[in-house]
Structures are given as C-alpha cells and as structure tokens.
Amino acid sequence: MNLEALAAEAVRLHHAGRHRQAAELYHRILQTRPDHPGALNGLGMIAFQAGRHDAAVALLERVVATAGEHAGYLMNLGAVHDAAGHAEAAADCYARAIGAAPTYPDPYYNLGALHLRRGEADRAVAIFDRCMAVIGREFHALAYKAHALRDAGRDEAAAALLDYERLVRLHPFTAPRGYPDLDAFNAALAEHVRRHPSLRADVLSTVNGSHTGELLRPPQGPMAALTPIIGEAVAAYRAALPDDAAHPMVRWAPRRWKLTGWGVVMRDGGHERSHIHPNGWLSGVLYVALPEAVTRGDDHAGWLRFGEPTPELGARSPPLLRDYCPGYGRIVLFPSYFYHGTVPFQSEQPRICISFDVEPDD
C-alpha cells in the first residue's frame, strides 16, 4: 500500500475505535516519512484519547511545526492543552486556529467556552460575536452567546435571545383530508415511525429510545399529508415574529428553506439529552403517541424542557428552565438555537414524536 492508502486505512481504523491497529499503521507511515502530519496527528489523538496528555502534546507540537498554522491541527493541540489544564496554551492555539481559518467555527466555540470556564464571560461573548460577524448566520455561536450573556450579568440581552414567551409557539392542527379524525392520523404517523427501516436505537441525543433517519424521503406514507401542515405552521410562526429587525430570528430568517424530519420512539426511562440544532433556523415537534405517565403531568415526566446548556459550554449561571407538556393536535415551534431536551419518564407505553428542522437554503 502507498502512504495515502495506509493513511486512509489508519484513519478508518481510528474512527472505528480500533486504536492499536490504527497506531501500527501510523508508525509504519512514519518509518517511511517521519514528518507525515496525518500520522503524527493520529498518534497524538490516540494518546489524547488514552489520557496521555504529555505524549499527545509532544506529537501534536511536531505536527504544527511540520504543517505550519493549520487550523485543524491547532484545534487538536488546543483541545489537549485544554484537557490538561493548560488554559493559556489552549487559548493561544484556539486563537491561532481562528487566525488560520477565520470561517472555521469550532475554534470560536472552544475559545469562548474556555473563557466561560475561567469566569471571563464578557470575553466569551466577544468571541461568539466575532464568530457571527465573520461567518454570518451561526446558531451554535448564538446558543453559546445567549448563556454567556447571563454569566456576564447582561440579563436583558440574554432574555431577548431566550424569550420563551415570544419565541416558543404552539400551532394547532386537525386531521388532513383522507383521515377521519386526529386519532387516526396520529396512529398512522406512529405506525410509520415504528416501522421505518432507518429506526435505530440510542443514537444522537436519544437515551433509551430509537431514532429514525429522514422521514421526508420516499416512501413518505402519512408524512406526505403532514408536510403541508408543517408548512402552514412555519408560515404562521414567521408572520408572528417580533417587529425587531436586529433580532437574530428576524435578521437570519431564510428567504428559501428546506425541511428535514425524523421520528423518535422513547421507551421506559427514555429521554433526550439537552442539545441544539445548529443547522436549523426553526425547529418543531409534534406528538403522535403519549403514555398516560406523560399526559397526566406528574413531575413533568416526558415533557419538553428548554434552557439547560450542555456542560461543555462551561456556563456558571443556573439555567432558566421552561417545560412544556406534550399534547396531541399541536406543533411546538422554537428557535433552533434553543437548548432543549426531555424529562425522563417511566412507562411501558412508548412516547412517539416527529421532529423537524427548517434549514436555510439561501
């Protein structure tokens, strides 16, 4: 095998978690080309994943010395320094990565989160603002900024971004033509999700549940009748946006958009970890099968929860949580940058929902 083929195979093994075999190939590459950046980087990341931070730093510093100011390699070196508690070295690497590739968003996220963990909230806000100024529509940075503003004591600005009253909307709907009532429509949608060939267990943010792939590709089944209902809900949401041209939901509203949708089946003890949808502008969910444990509202079990950022952000302020009770015949719409998840529930009955994103296509 030539070096390129060896490197590709090593990366494949690395991504598959077969670190020993990947390391053997990386070492074979280095025997022929001692300064091969991909092999050095791979060995550095294997050392990092094994918790050997000093070895990882040494390898990744060799990569940077060889490859120069490469944003990806600098990001990796910064992440190792960050994990090892070398805050200043990590910040330097992230800043250099930004300089090397200003439109690459990940270094902004890491540098801003580092500032938050150090109690430097205003510096974090400035980093997230810089990210959005350079890249434009960037909902991951916006999600981070909203919580960084709270840490900075800028509550009014944070509240404008995390305005649940104005930005979370419930859109009622009835059964479309071809279905005698809403119960029949929900039953058809639930069965479509349960039998979908892409349904897989415990993927993405889903715990004790299963998640489908794209539901809007053929065969769509009852999703074909749901799509125009979602379109009406999106149009109504857009028409009700606040009269504030500076607000990101208004300023970044797409002229053209595409819809992507998936289903989630949760079992006993299931929940969604808190997350955002950074590729979307607007997100939504509707419920097609709900256990009694969810609808009766005890302890908000199975409810939709907004407002809890993931731990890696490093926000210090206590989260401002808002829970919404699932129900039939209504779509819950919210900005895609809102952190959201669900409260775990206990029931032998499944909890089935259909979620979607409105993704900019302009």
Side-chain angles (χ1 to χ4, degrees):
M1 299 174 72
N2 60 33
L3 288 186
E4 290 75 14
L6 274 178
E9 177 63 9
V11 169
R12 185 190 70 79
L13 291 168
H14 193 165
H15 288 172
R18 298 167 63 183
H19 291 176
R20 182 179 62 79
Q21 295 95 324
E24 289 174 357
L25 293 188
Y26 288 138
H27 281 297
R28 282 179 60 187
I29 294 168
L30 293 175
Q31 288 172 3
T32 301
R33 185 179 161 192
D35 62 348
H36 191 284
L40 290 169
N41 179 71
L43 287 173
M45 296 311 292
I46 288 174
F48 177 36
Q49 289 160 322
R52 296 184 290 113
H53 295 151
D54 289 346
V57 166
L59 285 160
L60 292 168
E61 284 181 343
R62 284 178 61 190
V63 177
V64 172
T66 300
E69 297 294 284
H70 182 286
Y73 297 147
L74 285 165
M75 267 288 294
N76 289 345
L77 180 57
V80 176
H81 279 305
D82 210 344
H86 309 152
E88 294 297 335
D92 177 67
C93 288
Y94 295 147
R96 288 163 62 192
I98 291 170
T103 59
Y104 176 32
D106 289 12
Y108 296 97
Y109 308 155
N110 286 20
L111 181 55
L114 176 60
H115 285 314
L116 277 180
R117 293 196 304 273
R118 300 183 73 187
E120 300 164 348
D122 282 315
R123 294 183 70 181
V125 171
I127 290 295
F128 300 136
D129 277 340
R130 181 180 169 193
C131 178
M132 291 182 282
V134 171
I135 298 174
R137 185 190 284 130
E138 228 300 325
F139 271 14
H140 203 145
L142 182 62
Y144 276 16
K145 176 185 175 179
H147 294 276
L149 284 167
R150 294 197 62 235
D151 275 19
R154 296 157 65 179
D155 293 340
E156 185 175 344
L161 294 178
L162 300 173
D163 191 338
Y164 302 126
E165 297 298 330
R166 291 200 302 174
L167 298 177
V168 177
R169 299 244 169 210
L170 304 181
H171 181 87
F173 68 93
T174 57
R177 182 175 299 177
Y179 296 89
D181 53 34
L182 188 60
D183 287 344
F185 186 44
N186 283 340
L189 289 167
E191 187 68 4
H192 184 65
V193 171
R194 275 195 297 257
R195 293 183 176 276
H196 202 271
S198 68
L199 192 66
R200 297 290 182 272
D202 297 328
V203 297
L204 299 174
S205 60
T206 304
V207 178
N208 283 355
S210 299
H211 191 294
T212 75
E214 181 58 68
L215 291 180
L216 297 177
R217 297 193 187 104
Q220 292 190 31
M223 289 297 297
L226 180 62
T227 301
I229 294 173
I230 293 175
E232 293 171 4
V234 172
Y237 185 95
R238 188 164 187 157
L241 281 171
D243 185 16
D244 180 2
H247 195 285
M249 284 301 289
V250 179
R251 186 171 79 250
W252 288 343
R255 294 184 297 274
R256 296 187 304 278
W257 52 272
K258 59 185 178 181
L259 194 65
T260 180
W262 60 95
V264 179
V265 181
M266 286 189 190
R267 304 182 296 275
D268 184 40
H271 66 280
E272 291 280 346
R273 292 185 292 266
S274 191
H275 61 287
I276 64 172
H277 298 172
N279 293 328
W281 166 71
L282 182 70
S283 298
V285 60
L286 61 142
Y287 303 91
V288 296
L290 291 169
E292 182 183 346
V294 173
T295 56
R296 69 171 176 248
D298 295 352
D299 301 321
H300 292 193
W303 285 28
L304 175 63
R305 169 165 288 174
F306 292 106
E308 187 167 17
T310 50
E312 59 264 25
L313 175 56
R316 299 184 174 191
S317 301
L320 296 175
L321 303 180
R322 183 68 60 88
D323 293 351
Y324 287 80
C325 180
Y328 296 123
R330 62 178 185 247
I331 299 173
V332 185
L333 297 142
F334 55 92
S336 297
Y337 69 85
F338 273 19
Y339 276 102
H340 61 284
T342 63
V343 182
F345 72 97
Q346 303 293 325
S347 175
E348 296 301 317
Q349 301 170 304
R351 175 191 184 278
I352 304 177
C353 67
I354 293 172
S355 298
F356 61 88
D357 280 343
V358 174
E359 295 186 353
D361 194 26
D362 54 15

